[in-house]
Amino acid sequence: VQLQASGGGLVQAGGSLRLSCAASGRTFSNYAAGWFRQAPGKEREFVAAVGWSGGITGYAESVKGRFTISRDNAKNTVYLQMNSLKPEDTAIYYCAVGGSYSPRPQDYNYWGQGTQVTVSS
């Protein structure tokens, strides 16, 4: 599976962005999908995950109530709607797909290249 993330950018605190991750290759709908992020000097951390059908979702506590993950299997795309952004959300955001719905990066087999999100105060 090849993944292409897009939608990052510079936004003021309180603003919104929607990230997209387009998949090609193997059957996208067979996989769970997740978003992770990595800030400078920090380890990659879980943001959100969605099951293969979209029926189950999970979020890190730090983004719960502000971010929404969704997927459109007909378009082979997973989304991350980010609202009420904070400066601490600044990071490179990565999408990933794998066989398990999980918050653990090691459970994901395929990764996109990342898209930069910068939130100014």
Side-chain angles (χ1 to χ4, degrees), residues 72-93:
D72 185 339
N73 287 340
K75 296 182 178 180
N76 288 347
T77 303
V78 60
Y79 304 97
L80 186 68
Q81 177 67 44
M82 305 186 296
N83 298 330
S84 302
L85 282 161
K86 305 175 181 179
E88 51 264 43
D89 294 319
T90 294
I92 299 174
Y93 283 71

Side-chain angles (χ1 to χ4, degrees), residues 32-47:
W35 286 96
F36 294 79
R37 65 187 182 187
Q38 188 166 18
K42 295 187 176 181
E43 292 188 353
R44 190 168 298 190
E45 66 174 2
F46 169 73
V47 176

Side-chain angles (χ1 to χ4, degrees), residues 18-70:
R18 188 175 84 151
L19 305 184
S20 298
C21 180
S24 60
R26 297 190 178 194
T27 305
F28 174 70
S29 59
N30 288 345
Y31 296 96
W35 286 96
F36 294 79
R37 65 187 182 187
Q38 188 166 18
K42 295 187 176 181
E43 292 188 353
R44 190 168 298 190
E45 66 174 2
F46 169 73
V47 176
V50 59
W52 64 272
S53 69
I56 184 170
T57 58
Y59 299 91
E61 284 298 323
S62 59
V63 306
K64 199 171 291 185
R66 300 187 298 122
F67 291 11
T68 303
I69 189 171
S70 62

Side-chain angles (χ1 to χ4, degrees), residues 1-5 21-22 34-38 44-47 92-98 102-114:
V1 178
Q2 291 79 45
L3 302 174
Q4 181 71 42
C21 180
W35 286 96
F36 294 79
R37 65 187 182 187
Q38 188 166 18
R44 190 168 298 190
E45 66 174 2
F46 169 73
V47 176
I92 299 174
Y93 283 71
Y94 298 89
C95 59
V97 297
S102 169
R104 304 191 314 164
Q106 58 264 42
D107 289 332
Y108 290 81
N109 308 100
Y110 305 99
W111 291 81
Q113 85 289 0

